[in-house]
Amino acid sequence: MGCQHHLAAPSGQEGKDALNAVADETVSLIALLAVLAWAVTRPRGWPEAVAAVPAAVILIAAGAIPADRAAAEARRLGPVVGFLAAILVLAHLCEKDGLFRACGDWMARASAGSPRRLLAQVSVIASVTTAVLSLDATVVLLTPVVFATAARLEARARPHVYACTHLANSASLLLPVSNLTNLLAFAATGLAFGRFAALMAVPWLAAIAVEYAVFGRFFASDLNTGGRADPGRGTPLPVVTLVVVALTLAGFAGASAAGVTPAWAAFAGAVVLAARALPRRTVTPAALLQAADLPFLLFVLGLGIVVTAVTDNGLGQALAPLLPAGTGLPALLATAALAAALANVCNNLPAVLVLLPLAAPSGAGAVLAVLLGVNIGPNLTYTGSLATLLWRRIARHHGSAPDLGEFTRLGLLTVPAALVLGVLALWAGLHILGG
């Protein structure tokens, strides 16, 4: 009897461990769903961190994720969060120095009243702004300028405003600094800043070309309705600001080559512009602190811990068989498709956090395929990226709430084509340049 009791004990312990594992997985998934639901709806306009930070604390307290594991994830995200804060401040200072107003005046003059020409100019400005100053600058700072420019030209705003959100997502492929997803993945690629950009340059161009071609057909009636020329008096380009931005961009590459986080280059650029703007009182210290968006930074940290808990408690193991190994063309296509699907189900930030550890063993090409999926894919649904949700609120504020059916149809026409061409370009680049 004693022997039988001795043999039964491990079985009971295993059952208890299995129950604990199921409980940890369940509470982690509930926490993630609650955080995402809050981020999508933002009750009373409260920030995303109001849900993410308590959720992370609850998971640590419940033992769903060990405290040291949570601390390690926070340390890993630290440089990403620091960079994000610096680039948000840098973009705010560019806006205060008139960079986006100058872009709006240039578009108004150069379009000569042609809505089609205006779409081309918006596409160029949005793609460059997204690549250099991140997608948040395109959504938050450029979209209102595009609304104002379309009104000046008496052109229909829909195609140009939609271009802002689509290119904020799909044109964020080029640089490690273009999107928070890129920043999260950059270290996992093992690539230098310049090599990352070289491999993503052709996929970036392919995605932009697809967006422009589809928009031209989809919005043909809007674009064929003539506007009026408005030469106006142009706002001069802020040369000093442009020089600082160019030097900051060069600093990103230099910092990467030296093994230093690009956050320092972004911080230096922000400090230079702030030192120029504060004495002139075009900005205040409080405004710079607000531009850094501390609640959003806390949200990123909290979300990272919650997603780590979900991944460690079963989601990573469940997704691993779906992610093919290697960097052949079929594997890259499948990886990008899975990333796009996951981004639309649970938002692109959790998607990239979940998929990075699974894709990294296959090499840089697989990680870049994940980025193609999580950056292009969100154009299919409102919930695909936080930038799209923010764009939707801005559009509503300007009395131009997007139609869900129209948004979805446009996504169905652009996302698959951009994704396939982007993966083909990435695959060719890996063969030519090496991964």
Side-chain angles (χ1 to χ4, degrees), residues 151-210:
R152 283 173 58 182
L153 300 179
E154 297 180 2
R156 294 178 181 174
R158 285 168 58 241
H160 314 100
V161 172
Y162 268 98
C164 288
T165 186
H166 266 244
L167 292 170
N169 288 316
S170 56
S172 65
L173 296 170
L174 182 60
L175 302 177
V177 301
S178 304
N179 194 333
L180 181 55
T181 56
N182 299 22
L183 286 169
L184 291 167
F186 180 43
T189 65
L191 299 172
F193 188 96
R195 193 158 193 80
F196 182 106
L199 285 169
M200 294 300 263
V202 180
W204 179 69
L205 291 171
I208 294 167
V210 168

Side-chain angles (χ1 to χ4, degrees), residues 13-28:
Q13 183 61 44
E14 287 174 5
K16 184 177 179 181
D17 289 343
L19 284 174
N20 288 338
V22 170
D24 288 344
E25 183 177 359
T26 302
V27 73
S28 299

Side-chain angles (χ1 to χ4, degrees), residues 371-431:
L371 287 182
L372 285 170
V374 298
N375 290 1
I376 295 172
N379 282 332
L380 195 57
T381 63
Y382 286 147
T383 56
S385 76
L386 293 174
T388 303
L389 292 170
L390 183 55
W391 169 84
R392 187 183 175 200
R393 288 200 291 269
I394 292 170
R396 281 178 170 172
H397 177 73
H398 284 81
S400 183
D403 176 72
L404 176 60
E406 183 177 68
F407 186 95
T408 305
R409 289 194 303 275
L410 188 58
L412 288 171
L413 290 171
T414 57
V415 169
L419 208 55
V420 170
L421 287 180
V423 171
L424 283 170
L426 173 62
W427 175 75
L430 289 169
H431 278 269

Side-chain angles (χ1 to χ4, degrees), residues 339-390:
L342 194 59
N344 282 291
V345 169
C346 69
N347 190 266
N348 62 348
L349 283 181
V352 79
L353 287 167
V354 169
L355 292 175
L356 277 182
L358 304 177
S362 293
V367 175
L368 295 179
V370 168
L371 287 182
L372 285 170
V374 298
N375 290 1
I376 295 172
N379 282 332
L380 195 57
T381 63
Y382 286 147
T383 56
S385 76
L386 293 174
T388 303
L389 292 170
L390 183 55

Side-chain angles (χ1 to χ4, degrees), residues 29 73 77 176 192 214 267 306 337 346 365-366 411 423:
L29 281 171
E73 179 64 12
L77 291 175
V214 171
F267 179 74
V306 171
C346 69
V423 171

